[in-house]
Amino acid sequence: MMASGLFSRMPSWFIVAALFASSLIWLPPYPPMLDLPQHAGQVELLRQFWNGQSSWLPMLQINLFTPYLLGDILALVLSVAIPVVWALKLVLTLAFFLFLLACCLLQNEFGSDPRLKWMFIPAFFSLSYDLGFYPFILALPIGLFLVLVALRYSKQPSMANGIKLTGIGILLFFTHGLVFLMACAIGGSMLLVTPALRFRAKLTSAWPYLMFGILVVAYRLHVHHSAMAPPGYRPLFTWKWDYDRLSFLRIFWTSDFRGALL
C-alpha cells in the first residue's frame, strides 16, 4: 500500500524519465559494461551444466554457498526462455526500478527534499555500471531495502520486523558480500543509537544481526575448508582481511587521479 501510494505521488515526468533511462540498458546490443561478459559466460556455463551439455562437468563443481549467487541464478532461470544477453538486461532493468523504488521509500521515510529523487536516476548509471559490477548493481536495491527495514525495526523491534530484516539480509548475503556487510553495519548502528530503547532492549533486539554474524562465520569456515590449491601455489593477487585493504585509497592522491579531476 505504501509503495502504491508513493507511485501515485510521483511526478509523471519522473516516471517518463525513468522509463527513458531504462531504455539505455536495451538500446545497445551488448551493454557497455566492462565485467558483464564474464558474468554472461558464467551464466552460459551454468546453463550447460544444467542441461548436462558441458565438457567441463568432470573438472568443475558448482558452489552454491557464495555471496554472488542470486544474479547468476536469476539470469540462468530467464535464459531458459530468452538469450543470455536479454536475461542479463532484464535483471539489470529490474534492479534499476527496484533501486528507484528503494531510494524513494527511504526519501519518504526520512522526509527529505522530494527534488532529490531526480538524482536517483543518474546514480544508478555510475562507475559500478560502467565497470559492469553486475552482482553489486543487483545488490544495491536489496541493500537499501535492508536499511529501510532496519530503520523501522530500530523504531519498533517487533518479531515480524525482525523476521523481515533477517530474510532480506540473507537474500542480500547471497547477492553481494560487501553490500551485505555495509547494509548490516548501517542497520546495526541505527539500532545502537536509537534513544527510545534501553541498552538491554537493544541487546535483545540485536538477534537478526547475530544471525547475520553466524552466516558470515559459516561462510568463512566453508571457504577455509573448501579452498583447494596445489602445493607452493602463490596467487598474483589476494584480498587481505586487515588494514592493508585500505591501500586502494592511494589512488586519490596519485598524480593521474588529480590530473583527471582538473
Side-chain angles (χ1 to χ4, degrees):
M1 293 295 292
M2 182 176 293
S4 61
L6 183 67
F7 280 121
S8 65
R9 296 194 302 269
M10 283 185 180
S12 56
W13 279 110
F14 178 78
I15 298 176
V16 171
L19 292 172
F20 175 78
S22 68
S23 68
L24 299 178
I25 301 173
W26 292 90
L27 286 176
Y30 304 100
M33 304 168 66
L34 190 62
D35 280 0
L36 194 62
Q38 70 163 317
H39 293 290
Q42 290 170 184
V43 173
E44 176 61 23
L45 184 61
L46 285 172
R47 193 179 66 83
Q48 292 177 8
F49 267 59
W50 190 351
N51 296 330
Q53 301 173 345
S54 175
S55 304
W56 304 98
L57 281 174
M59 301 176 61
L60 300 177
Q61 62 181 5
I62 298 176
N63 176 26
L64 297 178
F65 195 5
T66 172
Y68 307 98
L69 181 66
L70 182 62
D72 288 346
I73 292 298
L74 285 177
L76 172 64
V77 173
L78 292 171
S79 69
V80 175
I82 58 178
V84 172
V85 176
W86 288 15
L88 292 172
K89 287 183 175 183
L90 195 58
V91 175
L92 287 171
T93 305
L94 175 65
F96 172 65
F97 285 111
L98 287 177
F99 175 78
L100 293 183
L101 175 61
C103 288
C104 290
L105 287 173
L106 276 172
Q107 175 205 11
N108 185 65
E109 188 77 17
F110 285 108
S112 57
D113 193 324
R115 292 173 295 182
L116 282 175
K117 65 170 55 71
W118 291 99
M119 300 298 297
F120 302 153
I121 295 176
F124 181 84
F125 299 95
S126 60
L127 183 63
S128 59
Y129 186 87
D130 183 43
L131 296 179
F133 293 162
Y134 171 69
F136 178 85
I137 292 172
L138 180 58
L140 282 178
I142 303 175
L144 292 175
F145 279 119
L146 188 145
V147 172
L148 177 64
V149 175
L151 175 62
R152 294 173 179 173
Y153 180 72
S154 66
K155 297 177 180 178
Q156 186 180 0
S158 63
M159 180 59 68
N161 286 336
I163 292 174
K164 290 179 185 177
L165 179 61
T166 305
I168 296 176
I170 294 174
L171 181 66
L172 180 58
F173 173 84
F174 286 101
T175 309
H176 196 281
L178 293 180
V179 180
F180 166 80
L181 293 176
M182 178 60 71
C184 288
I186 295 173
S189 300
M190 290 190 297
L191 179 64
L192 186 63
V193 301
T194 301
L197 295 178
R198 295 180 180 273
F199 182 73
R200 185 175 180 179
K202 294 177 181 179
L203 287 180
T204 57
S205 301
W207 63 267
Y209 301 100
L210 177 61
M211 300 294 292
F212 299 153
I214 294 174
L215 183 60
V216 171
V217 171
Y219 169 71
R220 187 63 182 149
L221 293 175
H222 169 74
V223 170
H224 177 73
H225 290 292
S226 62
M228 299 178 62
Y233 172 75
R234 287 180 171 271
L236 295 177
F237 182 81
T238 58
W239 286 102
K240 299 181 179 180
W241 292 86
D242 53 22
Y243 64 90
D244 286 341
R245 293 202 62 172
L246 297 177
S247 62
F248 77 94
L249 293 174
R250 67 178 181 271
I251 67 172
F252 294 109
W253 62 77
T254 60
S255 58
D256 292 341
F257 186 83
R258 289 198 302 269
L261 294 178
L262 299 177

